[in-house]
Amino acid sequence: MNHPHITHTHASTAFRYAVFANLLFSCFEMGVAFSAHSSSLLADAIHNFGDVLSLGLSWFANYILTKRATSLFSYGYKRLSIIAAFINSTVLIGSSIWLAFSAIHHLYQPQHLQTWMMVGTALIGMLVNGWTARLFHHHDHDINQAS
């Protein structure tokens, strides 16, 4: 069933808030990760930067998919999602390799962790992620959207 109250504008606003909130948190978390000498926070910050990239690409794709087909793009812009997936996977593989080298370095030169900074950052991250998820929740009764 269609719900006309869910518009492209709502999705665009949700994407905008989600991208900026997660980008801000990712930068904060990266700084805390280096200050606290925490590989786990660093891994989560890299993961969150990947989420920001995915949200940004989805935001862009959401905008592009509203465009009509042209003579140059006779099928429209629906194949853009393949390019977005390729970019996301390339970034994920690259950041995983970098993180593995960083973790190996920490194994040979362990440092004292600032656990209170790690726990506080994790709690803030839970709030940001919960708020972001709430942005995309439309209060629909459609089983497919609920799953």
Side-chain angles (χ1 to χ4, degrees):
M1 172 178 263
N2 260 345
H3 294 280
H5 62 278
I6 300 169
T7 63
H8 168 71
T9 312
H10 176 271
S12 183
T13 301
F15 277 120
R16 180 175 53 244
Y17 288 147
V19 166
F20 291 123
N22 282 286
L23 181 61
L24 183 66
F25 175 71
S26 297
C27 291
F28 169 75
E29 187 175 35
M30 183 74 76
V32 173
F34 286 120
S35 296
H37 308 291
S38 171
S39 292
S40 61
L41 278 183
L42 183 61
D44 192 52
I46 290 170
H47 167 84
N48 285 332
F49 278 119
D51 288 349
V52 169
L53 177 66
S54 296
L55 282 167
L57 288 172
S58 296
W59 183 14
F60 178 69
N62 186 52
Y63 165 73
I64 291 295
L65 290 175
T66 62
K67 294 181 144 201
R68 294 187 184 273
T70 64
S71 60
L72 183 59
F73 296 103
S74 58
Y75 288 102
Y77 296 87
K78 298 198 186 314
R79 293 186 183 172
L80 183 67
S81 63
I82 295 170
I83 295 169
F86 174 74
I87 292 170
N88 282 333
S89 60
T90 302
V91 169
L92 179 64
I93 290 169
S95 62
S96 296
I97 291 169
W98 180 73
L99 187 60
F101 281 111
S102 174
I104 290 169
H105 174 74
H106 280 268
L107 284 174
Y108 289 109
Q109 296 178 351
Q111 297 180 349
H112 178 70
L113 298 175
Q114 302 292 329
T115 54
W116 63 271
M117 292 172 71
M118 295 170 58
V119 170
T121 303
L123 291 173
I124 294 169
M126 289 173 57
L127 291 173
V128 170
N129 286 335
W131 180 72
T132 300
R134 182 83 174 127
L135 287 174
F136 292 98
H137 182 68
H138 301 299
H139 303 290
D140 287 336
H141 301 290
D142 186 346
I143 286 180
N144 292 323
Q145 289 183 6
S147 65

